[in-house]
Amino acid sequence: MDFRQLNIRAIWGLLTDNLYDDILLLEIGKTLPYTIEGNEYYNVGVIEKKHIIPYEQMASGYVRYNGNVHKVSDLDIQDRFVVNDYRVIAIAPFHSCTILEKNDIFLNELQKVDTLKAEDIFTLRRKIHMNRADDVSMML
């Protein structure tokens, strides 16, 4: 998830007696942009955990902070990117079927659901389970 700032609405988990079918999902809510001096920014830098600036102001490698110009590498700067491209993010251990490429279609279907329900998770488990027989042996 790199430097993305996420608004986690809910955490969904389904643990089964078969680790290949275990599911952990983050349901992501919309994250609002940062407002700096009345302007909205989706990419910002947080300097020394106190001061927020538009990302463009540090793109040159230098930034004005506390009245002086500093190298970006000399400061504690946290990059934050507000991106609302996913509604659901799957987190899976190595052997989980959710990481199989052929199951991406089922995760993409969940991106269209406004609010997840328990039935959505059980349906996902049933669908990813269908593809596990061929690919689980290749994981071992």
Side-chain angles (χ1 to χ4, degrees), residues 76-130:
D76 177 20
I77 299 181
Q78 198 179 66
D79 298 334
R80 294 193 184 167
F81 301 104
V82 175
V83 181
N84 291 308
D85 53 350
Y86 290 104
R87 290 187 178 174
V88 177
I89 295 175
I91 298 176
F94 178 72
H95 292 294
S96 173
C97 291
T98 55
I99 66 170
L100 298 175
E101 186 176 347
K102 65 173 78 172
N103 285 332
D104 285 353
I105 189 170
F106 306 127
L107 292 171
N108 287 337
E109 289 172 4
L110 287 181
Q111 302 304 326
K112 299 172 188 158
V113 176
D114 286 328
T115 302
L116 291 179
K117 297 183 267 321
E119 184 57 37
D120 298 319
I121 310 308
F122 289 114
T123 300
L124 175 63
R125 181 201 174 265
R126 182 179 45 77
K127 289 178 176 180
I128 67 171
H129 183 80
M130 291 185 309

Side-chain angles (χ1 to χ4, degrees), residues 6-37:
L6 302 173
N7 179 10
I8 299 173
R9 186 182 338 181
I11 298 172
W12 292 87
L14 177 64
L15 301 175
T16 67
D17 59 352
N18 184 333
L19 76 112
Y20 301 111
D21 295 334
D22 289 349
I23 296 172
L24 179 62
L25 301 177
L26 302 178
E27 184 176 1
I28 308 301
K30 185 172 180 170
T31 302
L32 298 175
Y34 286 87
T35 303
I36 303 171
E37 297 176 1

Side-chain angles (χ1 to χ4, degrees), residues 20-89:
Y20 301 111
D21 295 334
D22 289 349
I23 296 172
L24 179 62
L25 301 177
L26 302 178
E27 184 176 1
I28 308 301
K30 185 172 180 170
T31 302
L32 298 175
Y34 286 87
T35 303
I36 303 171
E37 297 176 1
N39 297 312
E40 292 184 345
Y41 296 92
Y42 287 87
N43 304 323
V44 299
V46 180
I47 303 174
E48 306 295 335
K49 299 181 183 171
K50 309 180 234 187
H51 190 73
I52 300 173
I53 62 168
Y55 190 80
E56 305 84 54
Q57 288 184 9
M58 51 187 215
S60 69
Y62 293 89
V63 65
R64 181 171 295 284
Y65 177 63
N66 284 341
N68 296 311
V69 175
H70 300 270
K71 281 179 138 179
V72 169
S73 60
D74 292 341
L75 296 171
D76 177 20
I77 299 181
Q78 198 179 66
D79 298 334
R80 294 193 184 167
F81 301 104
V82 175
V83 181
N84 291 308
D85 53 350
Y86 290 104
R87 290 187 178 174
V88 177
I89 295 175

